[in-house]
């Protein structure tokens, strides 16, 4: 046990004389921007998940050069399915792109066995799709309001950054859900030279996205052109073990794709019956890469 001369504070003195706390703004920042919680329910839950989320943020921040815990593909997110398609082809996968009016085929037992388009049926053992392909096997769970903004400048007060994510906590907006702002630019090869594209999204609480999204849009500065959009969110209601259909959930308003990744991992577990473990010791991985 250290002596008092070395800075040791007896436990009784600690509890009697010291009190640590965080103001509401700091709590909002850590809980929503670092831990990426979408609401304040985490405040009434055990702290372990919260600590792991903040730890993941810190490790990701240290992992990538450039001062951000996030990575974004050049030429946009469309590069991700393209990379998957190329890798799938290497392992014998067949792709039929831009096929109109795809219809999932079912046998007498209600099990999916193929997908038909333009008179051709691709046979399969399992069907993996988004809610639009099987509207009778999903339920509506919400609606997303979105603004797509084209600009000729970076977002003000971001040190002229070409990629930015801003999370506006619900409490500070007087709303029930957070608002998300994401911006990328020509440096990511997603826009013409000199142009920036920003997305402002939130869970729709009214039928007026222009008014709901105003707090986020006001942070952008002058906007060349703005497009408003709303879309419904769906979740599957079917039993995949019965009909061989694996339906994803719709995209939610978040711009960091955590919920999407979790949905993909869950579907992988259901389809394969295996647990996908993506955890990694970042320190060990870095050490191995340097050898």
């Amino acid at each position: 046990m250290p002596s008092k001369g070395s800075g040791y504070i007896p436990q009784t003195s600690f509890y009697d004389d010291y009190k640590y706390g965080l103001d509401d703004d700091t709590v909002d920042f850590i809980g929503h921007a670092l831990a990426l919680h979408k609401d304040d329910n985490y405040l009434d839950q055990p702290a372990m998940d919260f600590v792991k989320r903040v730890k993941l943020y810190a490790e990701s921040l240290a992992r990538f050069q450039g001062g951000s815990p996030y990575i974004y593909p050049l030429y946009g997110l469309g590069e991700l399915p393209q990379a998957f398609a190329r890798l799938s082809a290497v392992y014998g996968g067949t792709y039929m792109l831009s096929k109109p009016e795809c219809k999932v085929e079912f046998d007498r037992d209600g099990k999916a066995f193929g997908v038909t388009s333009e008179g051709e049926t691709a046979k399969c053992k399992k069907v993996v799709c988004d809610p639009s392909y099987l509207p009778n096997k999903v339920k509506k769970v919400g609606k997303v309001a979105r603004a797509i903004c084209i600009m000729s400048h970076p977002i003000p007060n971001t040190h002229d950054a070409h990629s930015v994510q801003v999370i506006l906590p619900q409490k500070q907006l007087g709303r029930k859900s957070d608002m998300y702002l994401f911006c990328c630019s020509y440096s990511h090869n997603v826009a013409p030279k000199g142009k920036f594209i920003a997305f402002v999204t939130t869970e729709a609480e009214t039928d007026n996205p222009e008014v709901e999204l105003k707090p986020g849009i006001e942070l952008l500065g002058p906007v060349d052109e703005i497009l408003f959009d709303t879309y419904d969110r769906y979740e599957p209601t079917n039993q995949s073990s019965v009909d061989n259909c694996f339906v994803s959930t719709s995209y939610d308003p978040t711009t960091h794709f955590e919920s999407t990744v979790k949905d993909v991992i869950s579907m992988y577990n259901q389809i394969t019956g295996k647990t996908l473990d993506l955890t990694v010791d970042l320190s060990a991985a870095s050490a191995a890469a340097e050898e």
Side-chain angles (χ1 to χ4, degrees):
M1 178 179 293
S3 67
K4 291 184 179 180
S6 63
Y8 171 70
I9 302 175
Q11 188 177 31
T12 53
S13 176
F14 175 85
Y15 284 111
D16 291 341
D17 301 329
Y18 292 87
K19 182 177 184 298
Y20 292 91
L22 300 174
D23 63 28
D24 289 342
D25 289 343
T26 305
V27 171
D28 277 345
F29 172 74
I30 297 175
H32 292 256
L34 301 188
L36 299 181
H37 283 290
K38 293 185 287 185
D39 53 47
D40 286 339
N41 291 336
Y42 74 96
L43 295 172
D44 299 319
Q45 298 172 355
M48 183 54 69
D49 177 62
F50 171 82
V51 172
K52 288 181 178 179
R53 285 169 171 263
V54 175
K55 181 174 181 288
L56 175 62
Y57 185 96
E59 290 177 340
S60 300
L61 187 62
R63 176 68 171 169
F64 304 113
Q65 296 181 356
S68 172
Y70 303 102
I71 54 176
Y72 189 84
L74 293 178
Y75 299 98
L77 296 174
E79 290 298 289
L80 298 181
Q82 182 178 171
F84 177 84
R86 291 176 180 273
L87 183 61
S88 176
V90 171
Y91 287 93
T94 300
Y95 273 78
M96 295 186 292
L97 303 177
S98 300
K99 301 293 286 186
E101 300 179 358
C102 293
K103 177 187 177 185
V104 180
E105 302 288 353
F106 296 90
D107 61 21
R108 293 180 180 178
D109 297 325
K111 293 184 179 294
F113 67 85
V115 178
T116 298
S117 176
E118 297 183 317
E120 293 182 297
T121 300
K123 298 294 184 66
C124 62
K125 295 180 180 179
K126 300 175 181 178
V127 171
V128 183
C129 62
D130 70 37
S132 65
Y133 290 91
L134 294 171
N136 62 327
K137 293 182 180 290
V138 298
K139 65 177 180 180
K140 181 180 175 180
V141 294
K143 178 182 287 188
V144 173
R146 176 175 60 175
I148 303 173
C149 307
I150 302 174
M151 309 180 300
S152 300
H153 59 83
I155 297 176
N157 304 313
T158 60
H159 302 289
D160 294 332
H162 280 242
S163 62
V164 175
Q165 177 177 247
V166 179
I167 299 176
L168 306 176
Q170 58 191 54
K171 187 184 302 181
Q172 299 188 20
L173 298 175
R175 294 173 45 82
K176 299 177 182 178
S177 53
D178 290 356
M179 188 172 297
Y180 300 85
L181 190 164
F182 170 72
C183 181
C184 50
S185 74
Y186 63 92
S187 65
H188 303 90
N189 299 331
V190 297
K193 184 71 173 180
K195 293 296 182 179
F196 294 72
I197 302 177
F199 302 85
V200 184
T201 57
T202 189
E203 190 72 24
E205 298 176 6
T206 71
D207 293 325
N208 194 339
E210 290 90 343
V211 174
E212 284 200 70
L213 297 171
K214 186 177 180 181
I217 295 173
E218 288 179 339
L219 299 177
L220 301 179
V223 174
D224 299 340
E225 186 173 353
I226 184 168
L227 305 172
F228 290 99
D229 178 34
T230 60
Y231 62 87
D232 294 330
R233 291 197 302 112
Y234 296 94
E235 290 182 354
T237 57
N238 66 307
Q239 293 184 340
S240 55
S241 59
V242 174
D243 58 15
N244 292 340
C245 295
F246 299 84
V247 187
S248 66
T249 60
S250 304
Y251 289 118
D252 64 17
T254 60
T255 51
H256 47 71
F257 292 99
E258 180 187 44
S259 54
T260 301
V261 170
K262 287 184 176 179
D263 186 37
V264 170
I265 293 175
S266 175
M267 293 179 67
Y268 176 90
N269 294 344
Q270 295 177 48
I271 295 169
T272 66
K274 301 177 182 178
T275 299
L276 181 62
D277 184 8
L278 296 178
T279 59
V280 61
D281 186 333
L282 295 181
S283 298
S286 298
E290 293 174 357
E291 291 180 356

